[in-house]
Amino acid sequence: MTAQPIPAAPDLDLLPSDVETDLRRSVRAVLAKTCPTEALVALADGSDDVSGPAWSGLAHDLGLAALLVPEEHGGAGAGPREAAVVAEECGRACAPVPFLTSAVLATSLLVRLGAAESLARLAEGGTAALVVPAGTASAGSWARRTGVEVSGGRLAGEVRGVVGLPADLLLVPVHGPDGPALHLVPVDADGVAVSTHTSLDATRPVSDVRLDVEAGTPLATGDEVTAALDHALATAAGVLAAEQAGLAAWCLEQTVAHLSERRQFGRVVGGFQALKHRLADLYAEVGQASAVAAHAAAALAGESDVPVSVAVAQAFCSEVAVHAAEEAVQLHGGLGMTWESPVHLRLKRAKADHVLLGSPDAHRDALARLVDLAAPTPEAG
């Protein structure tokens, strides 16, 4: 029997539009002003003079808290391509802002569920966090990892390793005997306790959330919750790939600039052949990561082949970001190891992003299932 041909994927325009170019320029200018290196380094010492001004510049001055909120709810009505541009610049600047967790992940979830009141609040600059452990890659995975239950009319339990706090609203998925449900809980409600602990990446804190509140009526239940969570997590994963690509591009640019100025043995260090080879390899990787991330954003915008595009983007961009940051630290020499250098901030961010919405291995496994690729058979010993 003749095999049926695989349908060709639709053509996607990966070139930036004029709107995206202008948006990139505006975001880069704001983050350059509000995210100085010394303020980012001070986060590890518990001094935060950067996250408030940075988020205010993005959310209020540029209106980016409302970027994905539909126009009828007071937002800009933009899409994943524009969100990817902002995320890429946030990755370059290592910005300690809740753009990914609130303006992308939580907003995409609320848009899918049609939560008009909550969306209007986010459009005004409010923030929301999805209460699932870091590393959650799909709606099916949170059910095995959350400790929150509904019993006796109370929503109670603890979820550890939540990213995106502080926030104004908590979006709490629960898997009970009647199926999945999503609850909306104000963070200042009685019975909510949030404890933030020291994490590798000080620019994106990790917290534990303990709940013992009145359950109330959930925002949504059943298959609607599962579908909305899958959509929001896929959107966030695709946008995260753009953040990782931006981080990798910054590392490459700064490393090339450093090696073009640093002199050793009477010549510019960047002139040594061994270093040229490493930079050439990194240049190719970063270019590929940018293309893959752009493809994922375009696929999300066109709702075409989204699962495959996102899985490829996360599997590839996560590792490129880490490799680029590691190369930047090494090729900066002793300077790269210092606390004052901005390079180590990118390495920590890259390492944290590496598993934020599922590890590269998890996304490769998902990709193999999506394209019906069987796992290799172990050879007999």
Side-chain angles (χ1 to χ4, degrees), residues 271-283:
F272 290 105
Q273 194 70 21
L275 300 187
K276 287 182 177 180
H277 288 166
R278 290 172 68 172
L279 290 174
D281 290 342
L282 189 58
Y283 176 84

Side-chain angles (χ1 to χ4, degrees), residues 131 148 155-159 170 172 185-186 191-193 209-213:
V131 183
V148 180
L155 186 68
E158 180 181 22
V159 181
L170 302 178
V172 186
V185 179
V192 176
V209 178
R210 290 180 295 279
L211 299 169
D212 186 6
V213 299

Side-chain angles (χ1 to χ4, degrees), residues 68 80 83-84 100 104-106 108-109 112 130 136-141 226-242 293 295-301 303 305-314 357-358 363 366 370:
L68 298 185
L100 178 72
V104 177
L105 176 55
S108 296
L109 178 57
R112 201 71 166 189
L130 180 63
T136 301
S138 66
S141 62
T226 301
L229 277 169
D230 273 334
H231 165 76
L233 289 165
T235 301
V239 173
L240 176 60
H295 185 275
L300 284 163
E303 297 188 355
D305 206 21
V306 169
V308 169
S309 298
V310 169
V312 169
Q314 267 303 294
L357 292 173
H363 287 286
L370 288 166

Side-chain angles (χ1 to χ4, degrees), residues 49-319:
D49 297 322
V50 60
S51 61
W55 181 238
S56 178
L58 294 181
H60 301 293
D61 297 348
L62 298 183
L64 298 182
L67 186 66
L68 298 185
V69 177
E71 293 181 2
E72 59 266 28
H73 300 308
R81 289 181 59 128
E82 292 79 11
V85 169
V86 178
E88 187 175 343
E89 293 304 313
C90 288
R92 289 179 61 93
C94 212
V97 295
F99 179 77
L100 178 72
T101 54
S102 179
V104 177
L105 176 55
T107 298
S108 296
L109 178 57
L110 293 171
V111 168
R112 201 71 166 189
L113 297 175
E117 185 176 343
S118 298
L119 287 170
R121 184 170 178 178
L122 296 188
E124 295 174 354
T127 54
L130 180 63
V131 183
V132 296
T136 301
S138 66
S141 62
W142 64 260
R144 300 186 297 272
R145 305 176 67 193
T146 183
V148 180
E149 298 178 346
V150 175
S151 178
R154 306 287 295 178
L155 186 68
E158 180 181 22
V159 181
R160 305 187 66 183
V162 178
V163 178
L165 296 166
D168 302 315
L169 301 173
L170 302 178
L171 302 175
V172 186
V174 179
H175 193 82
D178 298 326
L182 184 71
H183 292 262
L184 180 67
V185 179
V187 76
D188 57 359
D190 291 338
V192 176
V194 177
S195 57
T196 300
H197 46 78
T198 303
S199 59
L200 175 65
D201 177 18
T203 67
R204 186 169 275 157
V206 177
S207 306
D208 297 337
V209 178
R210 290 180 295 279
L211 299 169
D212 186 6
V213 299
E214 184 177 343
T217 303
L219 274 178
T221 58
D223 292 341
E224 184 182 15
V225 172
T226 301
L229 277 169
D230 273 334
H231 165 76
L233 289 165
T235 301
V239 173
L240 176 60
E243 176 180 306
Q244 292 163 327
L247 185 152
W250 182 94
C251 290
L252 174 62
E253 292 168 12
Q254 295 300 311
T255 304
V256 169
H258 174 73
L259 294 181
S260 298
E261 298 174 356
R262 173 70 172 165
R263 300 185 68 86
Q264 191 74 33
F265 306 113
R267 62 183 294 187
V268 173
V269 174
F272 290 105
Q273 194 70 21
L275 300 187
K276 287 182 177 180
H277 288 166
R278 290 172 68 172
L279 290 174
D281 290 342
L282 189 58
Y283 176 84
E285 286 185 19
V286 171
Q288 291 166 342
S290 297
V292 169
H295 185 275
L300 284 163
E303 297 188 355
S304 170
D305 206 21
V306 169
V308 169
S309 298
V310 169
V312 169
Q314 267 303 294
F316 188 74
C317 293
S318 292
E319 297 193 334

